Amino acid sequence: MRHIISVLIENESGALARVAGLFAARGYNIESLTVAPIEDPTLSRMTLVTHGDENVIEQIVKQLNKLIDVVKLLDLSEGSHIERELMMVKVKAEKGMREELKRLADIFRANIIDVTSTSYTTELTGTSAKLDAFLEAVPEEVIIEVVRSGPLGISRGPKGLGL
Amino acid sequence: MELSGAEIVVQALIDEGVEYIWGYPGGAVLHIYDALFQQKKMRHILVRHEQAATHAADGYARATGKPGVALVTSGPGATNAVTGIATAYMDSIPMVVLTGQVPTPFIGSDAFQEVDITGITRPCVKHNFLIKRVEDIAETLAKAFYIATTGRPGPVLVDIPKDVTDPGVRIPYDYPKKISMRSYRPVEKGHPKQIRKAVDLMVKAQRPVIYSGGGVIQGNASDELRKLVKETGFPITQTLMGLGAVPASDPNNLGMLGMHGTYEANMAMHESDLIIAIGARFDDRVTGKLAQFCPHAKVIHIDVDPASISKNVKVDVPIVGQVKPVLKVLSERKTKPDAEALKAWWQRIEAWRSVECLRYPHSDKVIKPQFAIETLHKVTRRRDFYLTSDVGQHQMFAAQFYPFEKPRRWINSGGLGTMGFGMPAAMGVQQAFPKATVACVTGEASIQMCIQELATCSQYNLPIKIVLLNNGYMGMVRQWQELFYEGRYSHSYVDALPDFARLAETYGHVGMTIEDPADLEEAYKEAFGMKDRLVFMNVLVDPEENVYPMIEAGKGHHEMHMSPYLNSERELA
């Protein structure tokens, strides 16, 4: 099963290496990992997406909690939550294709954020599935480059993951 | 009080109550060594290899329950210490290891004797720190001791760049009295609801077994465990790391379980309907094949580390907490087990016990290693005695044949299985308890991995007794090759052995060579009578003796191989 886990971690050198090392050393699968400091600069928030059966996920959560630098942790998949991922796609936009690509971007509510005479760069935010759908819709031969942030997640409702 | 970084390191250790520090100097720690030189409160023991510094600190910690401390230089000093750190990590031993580092401006430049030791040790420490400012030394060291000794204990490494200890920079010193960390709050008491559930299972159990591990020793919970065993009347088995928690002579004690455990302990586990695991971690050497592990049993698991629970074996009632307070509450419940069922269960266990699975053929021609350990017990039983061990057959023979009556008396590397551990660990124990008798049982392969420490023992007059069960082979490797590789003894014969007795003598110790079973007891008596001398006993034992019973890796508890000696006897009968 796919799980999305949020981790509040001390913003210290080596903290990211501890998490990455843990996954490598124990053979856990890691699909994506995003990390950045939050409003309290002494903390970073990490969102990681992983796959595993119930026992594996239980161990991942416990082993992450065991890291001294981890302050708090929440398996977002256990409750109702929202996920968003950012993607930027650079496409060849030459004469015959420019209108078509613009229309496609509009349909997906993607923004065109850079334009040259032969290319567009579009920016798109949504669930990972929506981003996948956009990539499906764009003809493969026009894609120059794709960059994705990996999903971020937050729980629904008034409660937050804080200290 | 204004101190330099180096002085802060030393003063912080003194303020932590550190008595001994094992180490080896080098460029990056010269400032610290200079500060060490100028104080009298803490004693530094100069080892001959950094691995021994960590093992000695580890042995000290295992015997005393206090954190062991080692100090080594950067680069090779630090990498040499890694085996000792990993050894302590696997057995959850509290230890603080200080490593020197190149000056901060040089970090990352591949400077002389630079190594990323926090990176290297990350997977084998409980936590590690790289100190970047002199202002952070005191607090970081206080955190290191706090983390090492609380929760599930473990080694903590603190990497200290040379410029941070600069004697020219002095700052006010204040050692934190209390440490509180938002990211680390170890649990103490177990959840009352979980304890209630455990009691319910214990009351209903028909065939219960207590399975206890090193956590009971490290958690100082032996008294509480003994009480629980007495009150419930349940049988108890211990892991290699847990021996001594309950006296070997206690009739409820079935001895060690697992790969070389007793027949009664393993059969009781296999047939039980309730396992009460206490401070044990379901290691593969204990469980054998997981799919066949205790097929009829519900499992209660008491452990301070939540990550230990349901890691290898699914647990029905987890109790996360310090073993000591949990056991205390558990015994206060005065569990009244099903007396009838328990009586029937004991009858079955006694039948397994009557097999006397550890019997071996006696010989008057060659010293059997089992006999060597039994005789060791005979000679040392009335002493204030500690036994350390290296790794291999001799370790298993010692675990099987030396009945430990008290906790912290059996000191060996269980999780990592580190050859070379025994002698330096004995040094740490002897340092902690100068009047006690400390022996190290070892093999001719293991002892050579840290044999240079005979010099340290000379320098500090450590009168440890080395009992070398010399069979000329890496015995456990040879045993597996005999059983599973059709006797192809690939590189397990230890050729070109030194004359150990003479070797010991060149270091200023007493050496003995013992070959005749008839001489063994007298030789031991003579050796242990020499209170102030290290005596190295080279005991030539049967080269092809095997450790039995044995469960092959990947087999179940009920699939034990018994000694061929027992099997032949059975055929005769």
Side-chain angles (χ1 to χ4, degrees):
Chain A
M1 254 257 293
R2 175 182 181 274
H3 280 251
I4 178 164
I5 299 170
S6 276
V7 186
L8 278 183
I9 189 164
E10 295 287 355
N11 187 10
E12 280 180 20
S13 69
L16 177 61
R18 286 181 213 282
V19 173
L22 171 68
F23 275 72
R26 295 194 181 263
Y28 303 142
N29 171 297
I30 192 160
E31 196 174 290
S32 76
L33 173 67
T34 64
V35 56
I38 55 168
E39 82 283 5
D40 173 353
T42 66
L43 286 172
S44 286
R45 179 152 167 163
M46 201 175 265
T47 309
L48 52 91
V49 176
T50 180
H51 280 273
D53 63 29
E54 205 185 314
N55 293 337
V56 171
I57 299 295
E58 186 182 330
Q59 267 299 306
I60 290 175
V61 167
K62 284 174 169 174
Q63 294 291 347
L64 280 170
N65 260 320
K66 198 172 158 180
L67 293 177
I68 304 289
D69 283 336
V70 169
V71 183
K72 254 187 183 174
L73 180 155
L74 180 65
D75 183 353
L76 290 171
S77 326
E78 283 186 343
S80 175
H81 69 281
I82 304 157
E83 286 181 34
R84 286 294 180 271
E85 184 174 358
L86 171 69
M87 174 168 75
M88 291 187 276
V89 185
K90 192 177 281 186
V91 291
K92 275 187 247 170
E94 280 155 357
K95 271 192 185 140
M97 282 299 285
R98 289 181 84 84
E99 272 309 302
E100 171 63 16
L101 286 168
K102 173 78 175 68
R103 259 200 304 280
L104 209 52
D106 289 343
I107 292 168
F108 280 87
R109 296 199 187 83
N111 299 318
I112 296 175
I113 53 174
D114 185 54
V115 178
T116 71
S117 58
T118 58
S119 72
Y120 286 155
T121 298
T122 63
E123 164 209 59
L124 178 57
T125 307
T127 62
S128 303
K130 179 182 164 180
L131 308 192
D132 293 342
F134 181 69
L135 287 178
E136 285 284 308
V138 177
E140 209 184 326
E141 60 276 13
V142 304
I143 295 178
I144 299 169
E145 189 180 359
V146 177
V147 53
R148 298 175 69 149
S149 66
L152 297 174
I154 199 161
S155 59
R156 284 190 185 275
K159 276 195 188 159
L161 177 63
L163 288 181
Chain B
M1 180 166 52
E2 292 218 326
L3 298 178
S4 74
E7 288 165 345
I8 292 175
V9 171
V10 170
Q11 191 57 45
L13 296 179
I14 293 169
D15 287 346
E16 271 300 334
V18 174
E19 314 163 278
Y20 295 104
I21 173 166
W22 286 267
Y24 203 105
V29 285
L30 279 175
H31 298 328
I32 300 174
Y33 268 85
D34 194 46
L36 262 180
F37 190 78
Q38 300 177 51
Q39 59 81 43
K40 293 261 175 291
K41 294 203 171 109
M42 194 169 44
R43 192 147 175 235
H44 175 273
I45 313 296
L46 175 68
V47 293
R48 297 302 184 269
H49 186 290
E50 290 87 349
Q51 179 183 350
T54 45
H55 288 332
D58 179 327
Y60 170 89
R62 290 181 202 237
T64 62
K66 294 188 255 181
V69 181
L71 168 64
V72 300
T73 193
S74 65
T79 54
N80 278 346
V82 172
T83 299
I85 295 170
T87 303
Y89 180 67
M90 288 294 274
D91 292 339
S92 307
I93 304 303
M95 197 155 91
V96 173
V97 179
L98 311 181
T99 51
Q101 182 54 278
V102 301
T104 46
F106 290 90
I107 289 178
S109 71
D110 301 322
F112 176 65
Q113 292 195 329
E114 180 186 359
V115 71
D116 172 17
I117 196 63
T118 51
I120 287 172
T121 56
R122 210 170 277 133
C124 64
V125 291
K126 184 168 173 190
H127 196 58
N128 59 24
F129 296 96
L130 168 62
I131 299 182
K132 291 194 174 143
R133 303 180 320 143
V134 60
E135 293 81 2
D136 296 338
I137 296 176
E139 197 191 342
T140 306
L141 287 175
K143 278 185 182 168
F145 279 93
Y146 173 64
I147 293 169
T149 53
T150 52
R152 179 177 181 173
V156 176
L157 180 139
V158 183
D159 201 20
I160 312 174
K162 190 173 186 181
D163 56 328
V164 170
T165 59
D166 183 352
V169 180
R170 306 180 76 81
I171 61 157
Y173 169 78
D174 186 22
Y175 195 67
K177 287 188 182 60
K178 204 171 176 283
I179 285 291
S180 157
M181 295 171 72
R182 63 182 177 186
S183 64
Y184 174 69
R185 297 187 199 282
V187 286
E188 287 188 12
K189 289 178 183 155
H191 200 288
K193 204 174 108 192
Q194 294 299 97
I195 295 179
R196 213 156 39 233
K197 278 192 202 162
V199 172
D200 284 348
L201 285 182
M202 286 163 70
V203 170
K204 283 187 207 133
Q206 305 287 298
R207 303 182 304 281
V209 180
I210 299 174
Y211 142 56
S212 78
V216 174
I217 311 269
Q218 297 308 323
N220 298 314
S222 298
D223 289 345
E224 287 77 5
L225 181 60
R226 286 165 200 220
K227 217 170 144 199
L228 184 75
V229 171
K230 203 169 167 211
E231 274 170 8
T232 57
F234 288 176
I236 175 165
T237 173
Q238 300 104 93
T239 67
L240 178 68
M241 302 316 295
L243 296 174
V246 165
S249 57
D250 186 320
N252 286 38
N253 195 340
L254 310 183
M256 184 169 74
L257 83 165
M259 186 171 269
H260 293 297
T262 64
Y263 184 61
E264 55 269 34
N266 286 334
M267 288 307 288
M269 288 293 282
H270 189 73
E271 294 295 328
S272 82
D273 71 344
L274 179 68
I275 304 293
I276 305 150
I278 308 174
R281 63 186 178 90
F282 297 89
D283 174 75
D284 56 276
R285 286 296 189 263
V286 161
T287 61
K289 189 178 184 180
L290 283 173
Q292 292 177 0
F293 178 73
C294 302
H296 321 289
K298 292 219 180 246
V299 179
I300 298 168
H301 189 186
I302 305 168
D303 205 288
V304 71
D305 178 10
S308 268
I309 285 167
S310 292
K311 183 174 69 178
N312 300 334
V313 168
K314 195 79 193 149
V315 171
D316 298 286
V317 179
I319 304 174
V320 177
Q322 295 278 359
V323 170
K324 195 181 176 80
V326 171
L327 285 183
K328 213 164 161 221
V329 176
L330 206 53
S331 8
E332 278 162 11
R333 294 293 165 104
K334 305 267 179 232
T335 309
K336 284 271 166 286
D338 184 334
E340 249 346 60
L342 200 56
K343 202 175 151 200
W345 179 222
W346 270 111
Q347 276 169 0
R348 290 182 71 187
I349 291 172
E350 290 303 344
W352 292 320
R353 211 178 225 172
S354 69
V355 171
E356 296 180 54
C357 66
L358 293 176
R359 273 177 306 143
Y360 61 93
H362 286 267
S363 165
D364 53 10
K365 294 196 176 57
V366 60
I367 299 175
K368 290 281 180 183
Q370 300 94 325
F371 177 68
I373 301 292
E374 283 182 328
T375 310
L376 178 67
H377 174 241
K378 200 171 162 194
V379 172
T380 59
R381 58 187 301 179
R382 294 191 198 290
R383 289 170 176 264
D384 179 13
F385 185 70
Y386 292 81
L387 184 60
T388 75
S389 165
D390 267 303
V391 170
Q393 281 188 329
H394 63 270
Q395 178 189 26
M396 291 301 118
F397 286 130
Q400 291 177 331
F401 289 91
Y402 200 103
F404 295 97
E405 296 291 307
K406 292 182 195 168
R408 298 194 182 276
R409 299 295 171 134
W410 165 235
I411 286 162
N412 75 125
S413 164
L416 197 67
T418 308
M419 291 168 72
F421 174 81
M423 184 173 35
M427 290 170 10
V429 179
Q430 187 77 78
Q431 206 70 253
F433 301 107
K435 291 195 179 129
T437 303
V438 182
C440 163
V441 60
T442 182
E444 75 294 332
S446 282
I447 191 74
Q448 292 193 81
M449 287 208 181
C450 272
I451 196 135
Q452 74 286 344
E453 297 308 316
L454 285 172
T456 311
C457 294
S458 272
Q459 185 173 342
Y460 298 93
N461 299 315
L462 298 173
I464 61 179
K465 305 292 180 279
I466 294 170
V467 181
L468 166 59
L469 303 186
N470 186 344
N471 57 8
Y473 284 105
M474 292 162 209
M476 194 57 92
V477 173
R478 192 207 54 75
Q479 176 168 346
W480 282 55
Q481 288 171 335
E482 177 192 327
L483 299 176
F484 311 126
Y485 297 88
E486 298 167 331
R488 291 185 297 279
Y489 294 161
S490 181
H491 301 277
S492 55
Y493 180 65
V494 189
D495 211 345
L497 287 176
D499 178 337
F500 285 104
R502 278 173 58 204
L503 180 70
E505 282 162 10
T506 66
Y507 281 102
H509 303 306
V510 179
M512 285 183 179
T513 306
I514 310 158
E515 300 188 66
D516 189 339
D519 297 340
L520 186 63
E521 190 173 333
E522 277 314 305
Y524 277 160
K525 280 184 181 157
E526 191 191 339
F528 282 95
M530 287 186 253
K531 285 199 166 51
D532 304 323
R533 301 297 298 275
L534 184 151
V535 185
F536 195 122
M537 290 160 262
N538 181 17
V539 185
L540 304 180
V541 297
D542 186 345
E544 302 209 341
E545 187 61 57
N546 287 337
V547 182
Y548 288 107
M550 177 179 189
I551 303 171
E552 283 178 44
K555 291 280 173 72
H557 278 163
H558 59 304
E559 297 173 290
M560 252 165 293
H561 291 293
M562 302 300 264
S563 143
Y565 170 68
L566 289 191
N567 289 337
S568 64
E569 198 181 52
R570 212 175 288 167
E571 278 156 24
L572 289 176

